Amino acid sequence: MKINKNIIKELNDYLDEFNLTEIEYTEKDLKVKVSKSKGIGSTPVITNTSKQEIERTENKSSEISGTKITSPIIGTAYLAPEPGGKKFAEKGRKIKKGDTVMIVEAMKTMNHVPCPMDGTIKEICVEDGQPVEFGQTIAILD
């Protein structure tokens, strides 16, 4: 598959123009995400994910039975309060209603996602630092 380099250049320009760290572009079965860190000398990271890959990831979480915990907002999921810190929830760990499952950061605001009921974490469906959508399954509770 050939990607139009002008799209990548334009997305990278938007990162600088609007002081963003990440931007995503989707058209038919093509999805391009451009992101970069805010450090000195940082370089953009370009990811190309087909819709089939996204659907496979989503179908994996739908195959597991249990209570699904979904993201309340669009943002970036963090499994621990700080890099290298102890995770809020891990597979197999018991968790109580109201305990934080993970944090979803949006617009520099850290939003704690509470557990809806007592149970055991059956599956964590996102990686640390992964972008999440509203309503996306982020964990499954047994």
Side-chain angles (χ1 to χ4, degrees), residues 15-135:
L15 289 177
D16 296 332
E17 182 179 344
F18 297 110
N19 198 24
L20 302 172
T21 57
E22 170 175 302
I23 190 166
E24 195 171 290
Y25 172 79
T26 305
E27 181 181 310
K28 295 183 183 173
D29 64 342
L30 173 69
K31 181 176 179 181
V32 178
K33 180 168 85 173
V34 179
S35 62
K36 62 180 167 183
S37 62
K38 288 287 187 181
I40 297 173
S42 61
T43 58
V45 176
I46 301 163
T47 308
N48 177 18
T49 309
S50 68
K51 284 193 178 181
Q52 291 84 9
E53 290 178 55
I54 295 166
E55 289 168 2
R56 277 196 298 268
T57 304
E58 289 172 355
N59 289 339
K60 180 183 173 190
S61 64
S62 66
E63 293 170 5
I64 300 171
S65 64
T67 303
K68 294 180 180 181
I69 301 171
T70 59
S71 177
I73 56 174
I74 295 172
T76 304
Y78 294 105
L79 305 179
E82 60 188 7
K86 182 180 176 190
K87 293 182 179 179
F88 292 111
E90 293 181 289
K91 186 175 179 177
R93 185 185 290 173
K94 291 193 184 294
I95 192 166
K96 296 184 187 261
K97 180 179 181 177
D99 286 353
T100 300
V101 176
M102 67 183 63
I103 293 173
V104 178
E105 182 262 332
M107 296 177 62
K108 306 226 187 270
T109 302
M110 300 300 176
N111 302 281
H112 291 256
V113 179
C115 185
M117 60 188 228
D118 292 354
T120 304
I121 299 293
K122 193 169 187 178
E123 188 74 37
I124 300 290
C125 303
V126 296
E127 299 291 324
D128 192 43
Q130 175 183 335
V132 293
E133 297 291 328
F134 170 78

